């Protein structure tokens, strides 16, 4: 980096194998729309989920094309619903444990895991670091940076609940992927965007993904 050049400080976004790839797409689009840089880690299991939920095969060698196609797709599965500029994204393979985000000296604002499977939650809570996603999360915690874990599972058993409490105790923000209805949702994308917005709220990133509560009953009534 040349003297006077601004250092790139991205948000790391980890996508694990839980159902909910539209949540990840909504978060990624909103981060990019906010002018944020993104480092993306897609787990091996999440590739299977992405293929099942969207029909998109995410490939290391063609990640830009595949990511662009994914982010352009709406929550209802329709392609071309969004414009997707991925020029601010840097992709790291989940098996690359020598990648930048594996080190605490690598600059980052924090990390968002969207969606977070119970296996991912357990791995991060126990500090297993079995792949880059878990390692980056462990680094985020040890460096006292923001870690948001958007857990996607129901029902939750006692073991997972204990892991989530451990993450909360370690400083992570636990955000269940639970949409609300007071914002006047009329489409599946509205429900997805509400969850994505709450993830970004937890990270302190500005967005306009949902209508906020203003203390007035009926404010989210469709048509108002």
């Amino acid at each position: 980096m040349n003297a006077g050049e601004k250092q790139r400080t991205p948000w790391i976004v980890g996508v694990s194998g839980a159902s909910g790839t539209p949540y990840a797409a909504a978060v990624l689009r909103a981060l990019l729309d906010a002018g944020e840089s993104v480092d993306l880690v897609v787990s091996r299991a999440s590739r299977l989920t992405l293929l099942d939920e969207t029909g998109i095969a995410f490939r290391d060698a063609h990640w830009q094309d595949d990511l662009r196609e994914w982010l352009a797709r709406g929550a209802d599965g329709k392609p071309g619903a969004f414009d997707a500029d991925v020029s601010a994204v840097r992709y790291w393979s989940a098996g690359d444990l020598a990648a930048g985000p594996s080190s605490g000296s690598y600059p980052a604002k924090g990390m968002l895991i969207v969606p977070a499977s119970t296996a991912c939650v357990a791995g991060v809570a126990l500090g297993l670091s079995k792949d880059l996603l878990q390692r980056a999360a462990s680094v985020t915690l040890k460096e006292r940076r923001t870690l948001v874990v958007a857990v996607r599972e129901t029902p939750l058993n006692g073991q997972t609940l204990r892991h989530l409490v451990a993450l909360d105790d370690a400083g992570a923000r636990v955000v269940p992927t639970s949409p609300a209805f007071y914002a006047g949702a009329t489409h599946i994308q509205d429900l997805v965007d509400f969850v994505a917005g709450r993830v970004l709220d937890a990270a302190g990133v500005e967005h306009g993904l949902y209508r906020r509560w203003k203390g007035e009953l009926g404010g989210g009534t469709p048509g108002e």
Side-chain angles (χ1 to χ4, degrees):
M1 184 172 65
N2 296 327
E5 182 180 341
K6 184 178 180 180
Q7 178 175 264
R8 180 180 182 275
T9 309
W11 284 98
I12 301 167
V13 176
V15 185
S16 79
S19 176
T21 55
Y23 294 130
V27 166
L28 287 165
R29 284 193 300 265
L31 285 171
L32 296 173
D33 287 345
E36 299 286 352
S37 297
V38 172
D39 276 21
L40 177 64
V41 182
V42 179
S43 76
R44 291 178 61 186
S46 69
R47 294 170 187 247
L48 299 177
T49 307
L50 183 63
L51 181 63
D52 185 53
E53 294 184 345
T54 69
I56 297 170
F58 197 90
R59 304 159 294 176
D60 284 353
H62 304 280
W63 70 266
Q64 287 178 310
D65 291 336
D66 297 336
L67 177 62
R68 191 177 295 110
E69 181 183 0
W70 176 24
L71 298 190
R73 192 175 296 261
D76 58 3
K78 293 181 180 179
F82 298 94
D83 292 326
D85 180 1
V86 301
S87 59
V89 179
R90 184 172 185 178
Y91 171 72
W92 302 94
S93 171
D96 185 4
L97 290 176
S102 68
S103 172
S105 66
Y106 182 80
K109 292 182 178 179
M111 182 174 184
L112 317 176
I113 305 178
V114 189
S117 67
T118 55
C120 175
V121 166
V124 176
L126 297 174
L128 298 182
S129 296
K130 73 178 185 66
D131 62 8
L132 179 60
L133 195 159
Q134 291 185 14
R135 171 59 186 168
S138 294
V139 168
T140 302
L141 287 175
K142 81 179 183 68
E143 297 296 325
R144 300 295 190 265
R145 297 170 183 159
T146 298
L147 174 64
V148 182
V149 179
V151 61
R152 215 307 305 169
E153 186 61 271
T154 189
L156 295 171
N157 62 28
Q159 187 175 43
T160 298
L161 290 169
R162 285 188 286 273
H163 289 151
L164 291 172
V165 170
L167 288 176
D168 180 78
D169 288 343
R173 303 291 300 277
V174 176
V175 180
T177 54
S178 302
F181 298 87
Y182 61 77
T186 59
H187 190 276
I188 186 174
Q189 188 67 54
D190 298 326
L191 299 175
V192 168
D193 284 348
F194 180 88
V195 171
R198 294 300 287 152
V199 170
L200 295 172
D201 287 345
V205 177
E206 293 186 6
H207 64 87
L209 288 176
Y210 68 88
R211 182 185 303 179
R212 296 184 181 277
W213 175 251
K214 297 181 180 179
E216 300 175 0
L217 293 178
T221 302
E224 293 192 357

